[in-house]
Amino acid sequence: MANRKKVVVLVRHSPLNQLKGSEALRQSVGLTLADNEVTAILVDAAAWLSVPMNPKLVGGGDVGKHIEALPMLGSRVEVEKESLDRYRIDVGDVLPGIEVVSAATICGELAAADAVIVF
């Protein structure tokens, strides 16, 4: 499918007391409907979205269902290893279905993308 566009959704903000992370992942799921090649990437404080959390306690939206849906739809969810290290998040705590990748890998994906949507 040569017409598939590579779309990266870059999520940067903390999931605490805001819905940006949940909304970014929800929109990533929606982008798959247009037969895009979608990758959702969690960097900086958004790395916290890669670990189990209770949305009611943190004041953020539910991200679990979106993280589960994206791989089932042929898309990827990635978290930056350097962000995990910065926030002292153990790689072993990362939810299933989320790939841990380096900042260099993310830079390559951003450069190769047809569109980048930043949250």
Side-chain angles (χ1 to χ4, degrees):
M1 296 192 159
N3 292 335
R4 291 186 83 188
K5 290 187 179 179
K6 292 181 181 182
V7 179
V8 172
V9 177
L10 188 69
V11 188
R12 304 176 307 153
H13 297 283
S14 167
L16 302 177
N17 296 316
Q18 57 185 322
L19 299 174
K20 280 185 178 182
S22 177
E23 183 63 14
L25 293 169
R26 185 190 70 77
Q27 288 189 24
S28 297
V29 170
L31 286 166
T32 65
L33 296 174
D35 198 31
N36 294 308
E37 184 180 321
V38 179
T39 303
I41 302 176
L42 311 174
V43 298
D44 296 329
W48 287 106
L49 290 165
S50 70
V51 296
M53 65 176 67
N54 183 329
K56 290 181 182 177
L57 289 179
V58 299
D62 183 17
V63 298
K65 62 184 175 186
H66 307 308
I67 288 173
E68 290 174 10
L70 283 164
M72 288 189 307
L73 296 168
S75 297
R76 294 188 323 273
V77 181
E78 300 173 346
V79 62
E80 181 191 43
K81 171 75 168 94
E82 291 81 355
S83 294
L84 293 175
D85 293 344
R86 186 177 312 119
Y87 290 100
R88 297 186 175 140
I89 300 170
D90 189 274
V91 172
D93 293 336
V94 173
L95 293 167
I98 299 178
E99 300 171 50
V100 178
V101 298
S102 69
T105 299
I106 291 170
C107 288
E109 291 178 317
L110 292 172
D114 295 308
V116 177
I117 303 168
V118 181
F119 278 85

